[in-house]
């Protein structure tokens, strides 16, 4: 955990130093879309819901984004529940050769982040273990297609690392989930 925190701090410091060397104006944005997550370990934990984000490109190369999401959750054994969470992502423009070229229509971004999720499961699942909180890590790539100067459509597949919140005996073990978000971004 210390190693991950040090890496995130190093990335933040690097981003700030790049900003200090450039005179670019920050670009703020909001986005939203449909969001789905499916476990990659065969655990049959799947969710479908919505995700909204707000963020800023602090220069042509990097920025930060805050996310909020809420979903319906399906588990093995016909159990259901709800989940909601929030997170912070560090963003990198992967096509920064000609950053924010006004004529470019396609953009490719990468995101790495950390977040908090709350799960509220059926009481039938386990009375003592029906409300769970955990910390998640994520990595994703976003392909965005610019429709106008202010509006873009995007598709963002990624990987999320969670503790096994659904497994009472092994709840501290990690597992990977595939996730995808499709939606729209508005530049402010």
């Amino acid at each position: 955990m210390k190693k991950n925190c040090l890496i995130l701090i190093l990335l933040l410091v690097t981003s700030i130093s790049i900003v200090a060397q450039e005179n670019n104006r920050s670009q703020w944005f909001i986005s939203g879309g449909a969001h789905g997550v499916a476990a990659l370990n065969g655990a049959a934990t799947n969710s479908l819901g919505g995700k909204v984000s707000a963020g800023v490109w602090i220069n042509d190369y990097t920025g930060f984004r805050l996310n909020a999401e809420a979903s319906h959750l399906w588990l093995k054994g016909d159990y259901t529940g709800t989940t909601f969470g929030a997170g912070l992502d560090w963003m990198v423009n992967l096509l920064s050769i000609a950053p924010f070229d006004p004529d470019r229509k396609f953009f490719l971004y990468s995101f790495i982040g950390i977040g908090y999720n709350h799960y509220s499961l059926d009481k039938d699942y386990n009375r003592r273990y029906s409300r769970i909180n955990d910390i998640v890590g994520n990595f994703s790539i976003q392909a965005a297609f610019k429709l106008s100067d202010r509006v873009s459509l995007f598709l963002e597949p990624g990987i999320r690392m969670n503790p096994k919140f659904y497994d009472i005996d092994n709840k501290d073990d990690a597992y990977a989930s595939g996730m995808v978000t499709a939606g729209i971004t508005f530049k402010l």
Side-chain angles (χ1 to χ4, degrees):
M1 186 67 176
K2 286 183 183 180
K3 189 177 191 180
N4 291 339
C5 289
L6 288 174
I7 289 170
L8 286 174
I9 290 169
L10 178 64
L11 294 174
L12 177 63
V13 169
T14 302
S15 297
I16 292 169
S17 70
I18 290 171
V19 170
Q21 298 171 17
E22 298 190 17
N23 292 325
N24 294 339
R25 209 173 114 223
S26 299
Q27 292 187 4
W28 290 87
F29 67 90
I30 56 172
S31 63
H35 179 71
V37 178
L40 299 177
N41 66 352
T45 58
N46 302 302
S47 65
L48 183 62
K51 179 177 180 179
V52 294
S53 303
V56 60
W57 285 99
I58 53 179
N59 59 34
D60 291 341
Y61 310 101
T62 189
F64 295 94
R65 153 180 102 166
L66 288 172
N67 305 302
E69 60 187 62
S71 299
H72 184 76
L73 183 67
W74 294 272
L75 300 167
K76 275 185 180 176
D78 293 329
Y79 296 111
T80 62
T82 56
T83 178
F84 60 86
L88 175 66
D89 292 336
W90 175 59
M91 309 181 300
V92 175
N93 181 353
L94 296 177
L95 300 178
S96 60
I97 296 167
F100 297 113
D101 176 0
D103 297 326
R104 187 178 344 151
K105 297 288 185 191
F106 179 75
F107 295 87
L108 192 62
Y109 309 119
S110 68
F111 299 85
I112 187 166
I114 191 165
Y116 158 84
N117 273 24
H118 172 79
Y119 302 93
S120 180
L121 306 177
D122 287 338
K123 294 252 189 260
D124 295 338
Y125 184 72
N126 186 316
R127 290 202 180 278
R128 295 183 61 210
Y129 193 67
S130 63
R131 302 212 188 291
I132 304 116
N133 300 305
D134 68 17
I135 302 295
V136 299
N138 64 280
F139 173 77
S140 59
I141 301 287
Q142 183 184 92
F145 183 76
K146 185 168 85 170
L147 299 176
S148 71
D149 287 342
R150 292 190 175 264
V151 178
S152 298
L153 295 178
F154 70 87
L155 180 66
E156 183 180 335
I159 298 287
R160 173 183 282 179
M161 294 300 295
N162 296 53
K164 290 183 177 178
F165 67 90
Y166 57 87
D167 186 346
I168 297 167
D169 297 328
N170 301 304
K171 64 183 176 187
D172 294 328
D173 293 347
Y175 78 99
S177 296
M179 61 182 184
V180 67
T181 306
I184 191 165
T185 300
F186 298 97
K187 271 183 16 182
L188 304 176

